[in-house]
Amino acid sequence: MTNAHTQPPSKWMIPLLGYLVSFGPLSIDMYLPSLPTIANDLGSSQVTIQYTITTFLFGMAIGMLFFGPMSDLMGRKKLLLIGTTSYVISSIGCALVNDGESLILLRFLQALGAAAAGVLGRALVRDLFPLDKAAGILSNMHIISMGVMLMSPILGAYIVTWLDWRWIFYFLSALSFLGLIGIFFIIQEPKINITTQTSIRSYLAVYGECLSNKKVTFYLLANGFSFGGMFAFIAASAFVYIDFFSFSETTYAIVFSSNIAMVIAATFINKILVSRFTVYKALRVTSATSLSAALMIFIVAFFFPKNVSLFIAVTMLYISVTGAIGANILACLFDLKPSRAGTMAGLLVSTQFIVGGIVSAVTSLIFDGSASSLLVMMGICGGLSYLFHLISQRP
């Protein structure tokens, strides 16, 4: 796919792409406060309703793997319109369900639409902007996504308190409909030169072509384990803060939001690094910061496991650079495979969900209620992420 446009993209393009990328986290975080209410209202077990999260993550991973390479063959805008329309309709369906099983199915369909928005929004950055600006733009998009994460649980709790949990999905449907309008009027994608027929064989060949490059594989693993440490934190941090450190739910929410604020701050710093140096140098700095955090995490885990201040400091440092690492690695992947931007974006984000899901499951198995068990898992992920980054830099 090549950029055939000579006119610059609309000033609304970057906010729109950031908005589309936020569909995934918005769909998860906004309805988390309503899970017990949904279970009671639908007469379903809490386990059944929790499956709506697992199914959504699974649908995101599948959708990323599908829409990424398919857009390299068919174009971005058409698939974006299809995926976002699916999101609008499935969100309305979620609001109208009468049982937990139906909600699980519709959440899967909703995830496919969110995946289309997320992966194609990222891929369009490579189509519409030069490489030296890609990492900075991806960082801007990540800031928008993190801002959504910061606000969405509070907004979801407000909707449940004053209206009804079903209005969360009506609200998501309305937000995605605005995105659909933006896609139709703002996005003017470059013309696509199709050199391969769209078929299962060619579809798989695209993945084979990309993954045959060992640098691509190691970049994906470096990013996957970086986010894996954050998924471990998400899986167990509430138990550590509330049960182990005796925080209130409100205090925990404030601390959790502080982590997101630090991600935004680190992403701003990363933008400065990218603008002054290169994306590869910025990646080395952010990866080294992550490794430093991982080493400090091990020290706290083994020597100061009951010190809450140190726990907050080291986990916050680790989490703060995950977004910057992801943006830098995606820009590097775009540089390696400029004609496969959709595939690269799909592989990157789906790997995040796959590795994150595995790490989350392992964390649940080894978690013993203490801060140390969570810290050890995060430290291992940070070490593996840096190891794969080092291997990716080999000639």
Side-chain angles (χ1 to χ4, degrees):
M1 196 170 239
T2 57
N3 191 343
H5 288 297
T6 56
Q7 64 182 34
S10 165
K11 64 180 181 179
W12 297 104
M13 181 65 72
I14 296 175
L16 174 62
L17 296 181
Y19 183 61
L20 295 175
V21 168
S22 71
F23 278 15
L26 182 67
S27 305
I28 297 172
D29 294 347
M30 182 174 284
Y31 96 127
L32 287 178
S34 67
L35 292 181
T37 304
I38 294 175
N40 292 331
D41 189 58
L42 297 180
S44 299
S45 67
Q46 290 188 3
V47 174
T48 299
I49 300 304
Q50 286 172 339
Y51 282 150
T52 63
I53 299 176
T54 304
T55 303
F56 189 89
L57 295 175
F58 186 57
M60 284 287 289
I62 292 177
M64 294 284 180
L65 293 173
F66 173 79
F67 283 108
M70 191 60 69
S71 72
D72 289 332
L73 300 173
M74 298 176 58
R76 320 284 189 215
K77 186 171 182 176
K78 183 190 303 181
L79 291 176
L80 254 179
L81 290 170
I82 293 172
T84 308
T85 301
S86 170
Y87 186 95
V88 172
I89 296 172
S90 57
S91 296
I92 295 174
C94 288
L96 299 175
V97 297
N98 293 315
D99 59 80
E101 289 72 20
S102 298
L103 184 59
I104 290 174
L105 174 61
L106 285 162
R107 283 285 286 172
F108 178 80
L109 297 176
Q110 188 189 39
L112 294 179
V119 68
L120 302 182
R122 290 176 172 90
L124 278 164
V125 173
R126 179 63 186 88
D127 298 339
L128 300 171
F129 301 95
L131 178 66
D132 59 349
K133 294 184 178 180
I137 292 169
L138 289 166
S139 294
N140 282 335
M141 291 164 58
H142 189 70
I143 290 169
I144 294 172
S145 180
M146 289 294 101
V148 169
M149 286 183 65
L150 195 65
M151 297 181 294
S152 55
I154 299 172
L155 180 59
Y158 181 84
I159 291 174
V160 172
T161 301
W162 293 100
L163 296 170
D164 181 82
W165 68 266
R166 297 177 188 273
W167 281 94
I168 291 177
F169 292 104
Y170 286 130
F171 190 76
L172 289 173
S173 179
L175 289 177
S176 56
F177 185 73
L178 290 176
L180 189 62
I181 295 173
I183 294 167
F184 189 82
F185 287 105
I186 295 175
I187 293 179
Q188 302 294 327
E189 68 172 333
K191 292 182 179 180
I192 181 172
N193 297 320
I194 299 177
T195 57
T196 309
Q197 291 184 344
T198 303
S199 65
I200 296 297
R201 179 175 295 180
S202 62
Y203 179 83
L204 295 176
V206 171
Y207 276 119
E209 172 199 333
C210 294
L211 293 175
S212 64
N213 187 321
K214 292 183 179 180
K215 279 184 176 289
V216 170
T217 302
F218 290 125
Y219 271 135
L220 293 174
L221 290 172
N223 179 70
F225 278 102
S226 171
F227 272 85
M230 187 173 70
F231 273 98
F233 181 82
I234 291 172
S237 62
F239 299 100
V240 172
Y241 276 116
I242 296 172
D243 295 336
F244 187 72
F245 288 125
S246 300
F247 278 29
S248 68
E249 287 80 358
T250 303
T251 306
Y252 165 67
I254 293 172
V255 174
F256 189 87
S257 296
S258 299
N259 282 287
I260 299 174
M262 288 299 294
V263 172
I264 295 173
T267 306
F268 271 115
I269 295 172
N270 184 64
K271 284 180 57 183
I272 297 173
L273 290 174
V274 171
S275 64
R276 293 187 179 180
F277 304 101
T278 67
V279 66
Y280 292 97
K281 289 183 179 180
L283 178 58
R284 285 198 289 271
V285 172
T286 50
S287 293
T289 303
S290 179
L291 177 64
S292 300
L295 294 175
M296 287 187 281
I297 280 172
F298 279 121
I299 293 173
V300 174
F302 291 115
F303 298 105
F304 309 100
K306 295 183 179 181
N307 189 312
V308 65
S309 297
L310 290 176
F311 178 87
I312 293 173
V314 295
T315 55
M316 192 173 289
L317 179 62
Y318 179 97
I319 292 170
S320 68
V321 292
T322 53
I325 289 173
N328 292 336
I329 286 180
L330 184 54
C332 294
L333 291 174
F334 286 167
D335 189 31
L336 284 173
K337 295 287 184 179
S339 65
R340 299 299 185 196
T343 305
M344 291 294 98
L347 282 171
L348 182 94
V349 185
S350 62
T351 303
Q352 286 178 193
F353 283 110
I354 292 170
V355 175
I358 294 171
V359 170
S360 178
V362 174
T363 302
S364 299
L365 289 174
I366 70 168
F367 183 64
D368 60 4
S370 69
S372 295
S373 55
L374 169 57
L375 288 170
V376 167
M377 198 66 203
M378 292 182 68
I380 290 173
C381 286
L384 288 173
S385 174
Y386 190 77
L387 174 63
F388 287 124
H389 168 251
L390 279 182
I391 298 174
S392 71
Q393 301 308 299
R394 294 173 62 185

